[in-house]
Amino acid sequence: MSVPPWQPAGPADQQPVLPDCVRHPGRPTGLRCSRCDRPACPECLRPASVGQHCVDCVAEGSRTVRRPVTIAGATPTTKNYVVPGLIAINVAVFVVTVVQARSLTNLNGSSLFQNWILYPLATRNGSWWQLITAGFLHVNPIHILMNMVALWIIGRDLERVLGPLRFSIIYLLGLVGGNVAVFVFGQVQSAEAGASGAVFALMGGLLVIVYRLKLNASQVIGMIAINLVISVVIPGISLLGHVGGLVTGAAVTFALINVPARRRTMWQAVTVVVALVVLLGLVLVRVPYIPDLT
């Protein structure tokens, strides 16, 4: 007897054979990726604007999507990591010097303070680490309070624009730049300490970024001007350290945010190396004019 055209051949309860998931052989599925049309089980599918995409297509799409970056090439973020860390380090060093000196205002009795403070005569005669370590010392509670408040206020937004690594570079190069200015242009028997050079470097960097974004720079200029005037009129404040940090921070920030976007990381690394070479060159030029006591 012939089979009517509307009746399927074979047993009436026969089910169609479903293809296996491309990622899980032996797991039949009736679903497919709306992008590549390959069979995929529910575990391997992700919701998309149109249909569902398999995990392979999702991964491929994330690689091809251009991620937003700041003018410095950093990934935008609302979190801060470096600024709290720097504040913690500075406070910890201050606590150690206070404990060693057994005084809040006279830290000369601290061996750490004496070993780390920038004393150009000692620096030239072997204590080269002072060009860095002096930037983590503070002479009294008011000194560290003012610097840490400034670091917190200025540093938070700047770190988000520059990213943790670039922000750290600006901070440390500004710190060294301020100390190098004291070493090169200051008196050989002077003694300097404080994070002010690094803070001024952040001010310089902020000014450059504000101009780069074409924002109103009057507030930043006013802040820098007021702090420079304070550096002049109040005794005991290192104008050289502040100006050195300001110039270093502004120059390095300008270079970091204006390098070609293509191969940005390489050009930024070159900028850092050039800045270090310049600072080292200034130190070497100054060395012959400082007495050698060894």
Side-chain angles (χ1 to χ4, degrees):
M1 182 177 67
S2 62
V3 179
W6 62 84
Q7 181 176 345
D13 59 347
Q14 182 177 2
Q15 298 295 324
V17 178
L18 297 177
D20 290 345
C21 171
V22 293
R23 293 176 59 88
H24 297 98
R27 184 183 294 181
T29 179
L31 303 175
R32 289 181 177 273
C33 172
S34 57
R35 183 174 180 180
C36 67
D37 200 38
R38 296 185 303 171
C41 65
E43 181 183 341
C44 296
L45 291 172
R46 300 291 182 267
S49 57
V50 178
Q52 302 180 95
H53 291 172
C54 66
V55 291
D56 294 328
C57 287
V58 171
E60 181 182 355
S62 64
R63 288 194 297 268
T64 58
V65 172
R66 186 176 181 180
R67 297 181 180 179
V69 295
T70 67
I71 58 173
T75 302
T77 180
T78 58
K79 298 181 180 180
N80 290 102
Y81 302 98
V82 179
V83 171
L86 289 171
I87 293 175
I89 292 172
N90 279 275
V91 171
V93 171
F94 181 71
V95 170
V96 171
T97 57
V98 167
V99 171
Q100 288 183 345
R102 298 182 181 181
S103 173
L104 278 172
T105 57
N106 184 3
L107 303 181
N108 291 326
S110 167
S111 58
L112 181 66
F113 189 85
Q114 292 294 336
N115 195 36
W116 279 18
I117 193 171
L118 178 62
Y119 183 48
L121 193 60
T123 306
R124 183 261 182 268
N125 285 278
S127 301
W128 298 108
W129 59 84
Q130 295 175 352
L131 292 171
I132 299 175
T133 56
F136 294 94
L137 295 176
H138 294 85
V139 299
N140 55 53
I142 295 177
H143 189 204
I144 189 172
L145 178 63
M146 293 180 63
N147 278 337
M148 294 304 101
V149 169
L151 172 57
W152 177 253
I153 294 174
I154 302 171
R156 288 177 300 170
D157 291 336
L158 203 58
E159 180 182 348
R160 293 168 188 171
V161 174
L162 294 171
L165 178 59
R166 296 170 183 85
F167 176 84
S168 301
I169 290 171
I170 298 296
Y171 184 92
L172 293 175
L173 284 178
L175 181 152
V176 174
N179 289 334
V180 167
V182 172
F183 180 83
V184 173
F185 302 106
Q187 300 295 322
V188 296
Q189 294 184 344
S190 63
E192 304 292 345
S196 302
V199 172
F200 266 83
L202 300 184
M203 293 184 191
L206 180 61
L207 180 61
V208 169
I209 289 174
V210 166
Y211 270 113
R212 178 69 167 75
L213 296 176
K214 298 181 179 180
L215 302 175
N216 187 350
S218 57
Q219 291 185 346
V220 180
I221 294 174
M223 174 183 64
I224 294 174
I226 291 172
N227 280 277
L228 287 176
V229 170
I230 292 174
S231 303
V232 174
V233 299
I234 298 181
I237 296 181
S238 175
L239 177 62
L240 285 173
H242 292 178
V243 173
L246 179 68
V247 172
T248 303
V252 175
T253 303
F254 179 85
L256 290 180
I257 67 175
N258 286 287
V259 296
R262 186 178 181 182
R263 305 184 72 178
R264 176 187 279 119
T265 302
M266 183 199 73
W267 286 112
Q268 289 179 337
V270 170
T271 296
V272 174
V273 172
V274 170
L276 289 172
V277 170
V278 170
L279 293 175
L280 178 60
L282 290 172
V283 170
L284 295 178
V285 168
R286 174 60 169 160
V287 164
Y289 300 95
I290 299 179
D292 184 358
L293 303 181
T294 57

